[in-house]
Amino acid sequence: MHLSREEERAYQGELGDGLRRAMEILVVLGDIYGADRLIPVRSVQVAGVSFKTIGEAGLEWIKDLRGRVVVPAVLNPAGMDLSRWREMGIDERFAEKQLEIVEAYRRLGVSPDCTCTPYQIRPDLARRGDHLAWSESSAVSFANSVIGARTNREGGPSALAAALVGKTPRYGYHLEEKRIPTHVITVDSDLKASDYGILGYIVGKEVGDGVPRFIFRKRPDVDDLKALGAAMAASGSVALYYFDEDAPSAPKGSEEILVSDKDLQEVREGFAPDDEVEVIAIGCPHSSERELAEVARLLEGKKVERELWICTARAIAERRADLVAKIERSGARVFCDTCMVVSPAGDRYRKMMVNSGKALAYVPTLCKMKAAYGSVEECVGRATGGV
Ligand code: F3S
C-alpha cells in the first residue's frame, strides 16, 4: 500500500508511539486486503466496548494506547447503563472494569455516546458519499445502505487506529466494484414493521456476505430499514443492501430469491413465545424516538409483570425524558449505553423475548439464552401479563 511522506513518518514512529501503532494496524490491514492507499474518513464508530466481550486483555490494550483521535469518534454499546448499572443487576467488579474501559477511550478523545445507532443522534457523523470507519454491524449496514456512505465493518482496533490517524485503507465497500448487488430478493408480502427483522433473519442466512437488492411492494421506513439491515448483518454478514427502485441492477445471472408470507410465518412460529419467557427486551438496534413513543403508548395505564427493558442511546433518552418517564411508570426500564446482547444482565434468565431479528440471532449464541420473537405489541403484551 502506498503511503504519503507524512504517513510514512507516522509509520516509522517519527510522530509518536501512538500513531506508529495505529499506522501499523492500518498498513497490515491494507496489505492483507490489497488496498492501494489510505483515504480520509469523516467519522469512526468503535466496537469492543463491553467488558463482557473484550475482557481484561482488551482493557489493557486500550489503556496502553497513547494519542488523540483526529476525527469524530463514538463508542458502541457498553456492557451496562453507565449510571443505572445497579438496577440492571450488574456486579461491582464488572462495573468498575466497564467504567475503566469507557474512561480509557475518553482519554483518547472518543466520545462516550455508547450506541449502535450513532446516526440517530449525530447526523453530522455520516453523509452520502462519505468514507467512514464504523464497527458495529447494524450501524455499518445502515451507513452503507440507507445513508449512502461507505464503510467496511471494522474491528475495534482497526476503527480506533482509523480514528487516531483519520484515515482507513481503501478496499472493500469503499470501492465501487464491491457495491454491486449479488442477489435479487423479491418480497411477496405486505410487510408490517415487525416483519422486517424476520425478513432480515431469513435473507441474511441465504446471502451470507452478499449484497441483496430488494424489491418491495411498498417503500420501508427508516426504522424498518434499521431492523432489516441489523438482522441480515447478524444471521449473515450483509454490510450493504439496496431497497430503492433506482438502486443499481444486479448483473444478469444473479441469484433470485422469493420471500413469501409463508416463509415469514414459518420463522415466526418457530420462535413463538411461551411461558418460559422471563425477560422481554426491545431496542435492538437502539430505539428511535418514534419507537420509544410507540412503547410509551402501548404501556399507558398498564403495569409490567415480567421484566421489560427498552434499550436506547442516552442522547435520545435525555431528549425524550417525557417518554422515558411514561414507560417507567409501568415498571419497565429504559436502559442507555448498553443492550440486551452485550450486557451480562440477561445471564440470569433462561429465555428472552425480543422484537429484533438481530437479537433473535445473537441471544442464543452470545447470551446462551433461548429466544422468542414478537412484534412490539406482542412484547409489551407479554410483559404486561398477556400470553
Ligand atoms: Fe445494537 Fe446490541 Fe442490537 S449493539 S444492534 S442493540 S445487539
Side-chain angles (χ1 to χ4, degrees):
M1 183 169 70
H2 170 77
L3 298 182
S4 69
R5 189 175 300 175
E6 195 68 2
E7 291 162 357
E8 189 62 47
R9 287 184 63 212
Y11 185 53
Q12 295 304 334
E14 290 175 31
L15 305 178
D17 191 54
L19 266 185
R20 179 189 63 75
R21 291 175 63 184
M23 279 297 292
E24 270 176 9
I25 293 172
L26 299 182
V27 168
V28 166
L29 204 60
D31 285 344
I32 290 172
Y33 289 103
D36 58 349
R37 60 190 162 91
L38 295 175
I39 45 172
V41 290
R42 176 184 284 276
S43 66
V44 170
Q45 190 240 7
V46 184
V49 181
S50 171
F51 184 63
K52 171 178 161 177
T53 53
I54 68 168
E56 202 72 58
L59 168 59
E60 288 311 313
W61 186 81
I62 302 158
K63 272 173 41 181
D64 205 34
L65 273 178
R66 296 287 170 269
R68 194 82 191 158
V69 302
V70 294
V71 291
V74 291
L75 291 179
N76 205 40
M80 61 188 203
D81 186 308
L82 298 178
S83 51
R84 295 173 72 185
W85 50 270
R86 282 193 180 81
E87 288 177 53
M88 298 184 79
I90 299 287
D91 68 56
E92 301 270 347
R93 182 183 168 271
F94 185 97
E96 197 182 297
K97 296 289 176 186
Q98 185 61 74
L99 293 171
E100 249 188 274
I101 291 172
V102 174
E103 182 51 32
Y105 278 121
R106 198 200 302 259
R107 274 200 298 271
L108 295 169
V110 184
S111 163
D113 297 309
C114 298
T115 181
C116 49
T117 59
Y119 47 86
Q120 291 188 150
I121 59 167
R122 298 264 317 262
D124 60 303
L125 294 178
R127 303 206 183 99
R128 191 167 195 83
D130 284 343
H131 293 279
L132 317 172
W134 285 16
S135 297
E136 199 281 319
S137 64
S138 76
V140 165
S141 170
F142 194 92
N144 278 324
S145 316
V146 184
I147 298 174
R150 297 179 173 224
T151 178
N152 289 317
R153 182 177 175 179
E154 301 290 342
S158 68
L160 194 51
L164 293 167
V165 174
K167 293 178 183 176
T168 194
R170 184 175 169 272
Y171 71 93
Y173 293 98
H174 295 286
L175 303 174
E176 213 54 58
E177 58 262 32
K178 181 71 183 162
R179 301 179 69 90
I180 298 169
T182 57
H183 295 71
V184 178
I185 317 290
T186 303
V187 184
D188 186 20
S189 172
D190 293 319
L191 299 174
K192 301 182 295 301
S194 63
D195 291 327
Y196 286 91
I198 292 289
L199 174 65
Y201 184 86
I202 294 171
V203 174
K205 280 183 189 289
E206 290 287 329
V207 309
D209 65 352
V211 179
R213 183 192 195 284
F214 284 91
I215 300 174
F216 289 114
R217 287 188 186 163
K218 84 172 182 4
R219 200 176 198 276
D221 71 25
V222 165
D223 287 329
D224 299 336
L225 293 169
K226 184 177 76 167
L228 173 67
M232 286 192 291
S235 68
S237 50
V238 175
L240 167 66
Y241 65 94
Y242 293 98
F243 58 94
D244 255 339
E245 278 166 13
D246 58 0
S249 309
K252 263 209 176 81
S254 299
E255 194 178 334
E256 301 200 12
I257 297 170
L258 177 74
V259 182
S260 66
D261 278 326
K262 188 167 154 279
D263 301 315
L264 298 166
Q265 191 54 29
E266 261 174 31
V267 177
R268 274 183 178 288
E269 283 171 7
F271 290 104
D274 56 24
D275 284 344
E276 251 194 294
V277 170
E278 293 176 318
V279 57
I280 296 117
I282 292 171
C284 170
H286 276 172
S287 295
S288 63
E289 282 189 47
R290 195 172 60 169
E291 289 167 322
L292 280 188
E294 170 73 349
V295 176
R297 186 185 65 76
L298 291 166
L299 280 170
E300 203 165 345
K302 298 191 179 131
K303 288 279 175 213
V304 298
E305 294 177 12
R306 288 184 176 94
E307 286 274 309
L308 171 60
W309 304 337
I310 296 94
C311 301
T312 190
R314 183 163 295 278
I316 291 189
E318 285 176 356
R319 199 185 301 150
R320 295 310 310 266
D322 58 324
L323 295 175
V324 172
K326 274 190 187 166
I327 291 170
E328 297 205 330
R329 224 170 277 146
S330 72
R333 286 285 162 266
V334 177
F335 290 125
C336 305
D337 321 310
T338 188
C339 82
M340 64 295 273
V341 170
V342 300
S343 171
D347 293 358
R348 58 187 186 274
Y349 300 109
R350 282 172 302 169
K351 191 164 193 172
M352 177 180 273
M353 182 175 181
V354 295
N355 69 330
S356 152
K358 173 163 179 175
L360 188 64
Y362 279 171
V363 162
T365 53
L366 299 180
C367 307
K368 308 280 180 277
M369 258 184 290
K370 292 185 203 163
Y373 188 91
S375 66
V376 67
E377 291 88 348
E378 288 163 340
C379 284
V380 169
R382 187 152 287 262
T384 52
V387 289

